[in-house]
Amino acid sequence: MEEKKGIFHKWFKGVEKIKEGVKQQFTRLWSADSLQEEDWEALEEMLVQADLGPILAMELVEEFQELKKQKTENGNWQDWLYGKLASILDGNDSSLFSSAQAGAMKAILLAGINGVGKTTLAGKLARYYSLLGEEVALVAADTFRAAAVDQLEIWAERAGCFFFKGSPGADPGSIIFDGIEAARKKNRGFVIIDTAGRSHVNKNLLAELEKMGRIVQKNFSPENIENLLVIDAMAGQNAFLQAESIGKAIPLNGVILSKWDSQAKGGIVFRIKKELELSIKYLGVGEKIEDLQPFDPDQFVKAIVYDEEVP
Ligand SMILES: Nc1nc2c(ncn2[C@@H]2O[C@H](COP(=O)(O)OP(=O)(O)OP(=O)(O)O)[C@@H](O)[C@H]2O)c(=O)[nH]1
Ligand SMILES: [Mg+2]
């Protein structure tokens, strides 16, 4: 219980900033009789600064302006905003493998630019799904740095799961192929593949990722694959460029936002769902193996809008 509370607090840090801005602006504007241009600008600026991006910020401001014009606002701003924000996240499928065949072998491929937290997440997911009763195998397909393999091996030890590494000099595609084979032989039905960080503008690296994606596809049917993009919660606008080009190399099934505990502004969640039409699956909320929070859209919006006690 103590640990759960700790995790929730770390997660909650990521909404504190947006929550503060939202409360300040909407409390003021909701009950004001006459509003000036600068009031709308201040609201829009707050939303942009909270990482909702210009499109969503403008949309919310315009809808609120319309409401004020018609003087139709009943109730409180919290309920109004809850409805708006919740509708943006409507359809966010936070679960993994929601249509997987029962008993089938499954694979998670983690992709993303350098240093976003892929290897750490591989470890966290390995522990998380092991605790749920899955027989997990971690496959080290990052061949760029020798240390990357050792780093993943340490996570495998912490998570208590099967670990596979290729022979030195092997290419990542063949490591994945062999890793899947080894996992199958060891009856490990839940394969998590850690890949090297790659710049989203490097064509060769994207082609390599494409190849890795194809090898996974050859071994698993689509409903048993989760290609997950790892994004640093602070990436802002750049997250969209990353998603666009990495999404061309492999079909993305969702996003994990890492480093949620370090100054994330919260609004990026809405942008990812709205502009990329990708579901947010998990939040990485720290450097420890247990610092993983399944993303709950309703809890998330309520935490921003309502003054509820942190459980
Ligand atoms: N605060 C915080 N730090 C994190 C989180 N996830 C990862 N880190 C840290 O971020 C750094 C990079 O993490 P890695 O897991 O090595 O990232 P990576 O994407 O595998 O990096 P490359 O393989 O080099 O591309 C490490 O210092 C981690 O401890 C998180 O959720 N919160
Ligand atoms: Mg790594």
Side-chain angles (χ1 to χ4, degrees):
M1 187 63 209
E2 206 44 49
E3 182 183 293
K4 206 172 163 201
K5 187 174 178 187
I7 290 265
F8 192 88
H9 276 270
K10 282 184 178 180
W11 168 82
F12 195 73
K13 266 180 79 177
V15 300
E16 272 176 351
K17 272 214 172 76
I18 182 169
K19 185 182 181 73
E20 198 185 290
V22 157
K23 187 176 179 184
Q24 212 181 41
Q25 291 293 339
F26 279 97
T27 308
R28 193 171 65 85
L29 301 187
W30 187 263
S31 52
D33 287 333
S34 71
L35 289 169
Q36 312 302 317
E37 193 51 38
E38 54 259 37
D39 293 317
W40 298 116
E41 279 167 13
L43 177 64
E44 192 172 339
E45 196 185 317
M46 181 276 293
L47 294 168
V48 171
Q49 274 183 6
D51 261 357
L52 272 105
I55 300 171
L56 263 177
M58 181 108 78
E59 231 176 84
L60 279 169
V61 169
E62 281 172 0
E63 287 189 36
F64 190 36
Q65 270 174 335
E66 195 52 38
L67 197 77
K68 290 294 286 187
K69 227 188 269 166
Q70 296 171 358
K71 297 198 188 307
T72 51
E73 81 260 39
N74 294 315
N76 55 43
W77 65 263
Q78 282 94 340
D79 293 344
W80 177 82
L81 191 62
Y82 171 81
K84 292 284 150 212
L85 295 180
S87 74
I88 297 169
L89 296 184
D90 206 25
N92 189 94
D93 178 11
S94 310
S95 60
L96 298 186
F97 304 111
S98 43
S99 48
Q101 299 139 357
M105 218 174 148
K106 306 176 189 74
I108 295 174
L109 182 73
L110 295 168
I113 67 160
N114 298 84
V116 286
K118 297 174 294 300
T119 306
T120 307
L121 274 165
K124 290 174 180 176
L125 290 168
R127 172 186 179 266
Y128 188 86
Y129 283 95
S130 294
L131 289 177
L132 288 178
E134 298 285 356
E135 299 288 349
V136 178
L138 271 177
V139 175
D142 179 351
T143 53
F144 289 6
R145 296 180 295 115
V149 176
D150 300 339
Q151 190 193 351
L152 191 70
E153 188 162 18
I154 295 169
W155 282 114
E157 277 162 23
R158 288 181 187 140
C161 71
F162 175 67
F163 173 71
F164 181 85
K165 65 174 175 183
S167 41
D171 82 283
S174 72
I175 292 174
I176 292 177
F177 186 85
D178 293 344
I180 294 167
E181 227 9 72
R184 191 170 279 135
K185 281 196 187 118
K186 293 266 180 194
N187 285 325
R188 301 289 163 149
F190 201 97
V191 182
I192 302 173
I193 303 160
D194 181 33
T195 67
R198 60 200 69 239
S199 159
H200 59 290
V201 293
N202 184 315
K203 285 206 172 78
N204 291 340
L205 295 181
L206 291 172
E208 186 190 76
L209 181 64
E210 198 177 329
K211 191 176 154 199
M212 288 192 254
R214 275 202 306 270
I215 289 168
V216 175
Q217 266 174 32
K218 271 192 191 139
N219 283 276
F220 299 84
S221 51
E223 60 274 24
N224 300 329
I225 302 172
E226 292 278 357
N227 292 330
L228 301 177
L229 176 68
V230 183
I231 294 177
D232 183 327
M234 305 243 290
Q237 174 64 30
N238 202 264
F240 298 89
L241 305 175
Q242 293 165 26
E244 202 174 25
S245 56
I246 292 178
K248 279 185 191 145
I250 49 169
L252 292 173
N253 299 96
V255 167
I256 299 183
L257 283 166
S258 65
K259 310 196 186 184
W260 188 256
D261 52 309
S262 45
Q263 306 288 315
K265 294 180 192 155
I268 191 161
V269 161
F270 299 103
R271 267 194 94 176
I272 288 172
K273 180 68 184 62
K274 169 104 176 169
E275 293 176 34
L276 297 174
E277 295 178 10
L278 284 172
S279 289
I280 291 102
K281 305 282 189 182
Y282 286 96
L283 305 176
V285 296
E287 294 182 276
K288 295 214 272 316
I289 200 160
E290 66 272 19
D291 291 334
L292 183 71
Q293 177 77 29
F295 181 68
D296 178 337
D298 191 54
Q299 184 188 44
F300 181 75
V301 176
K302 281 185 176 147
I304 293 173
V305 173
Y306 295 107
D307 272 327
E308 279 174 7
E309 275 285 292
V310 176

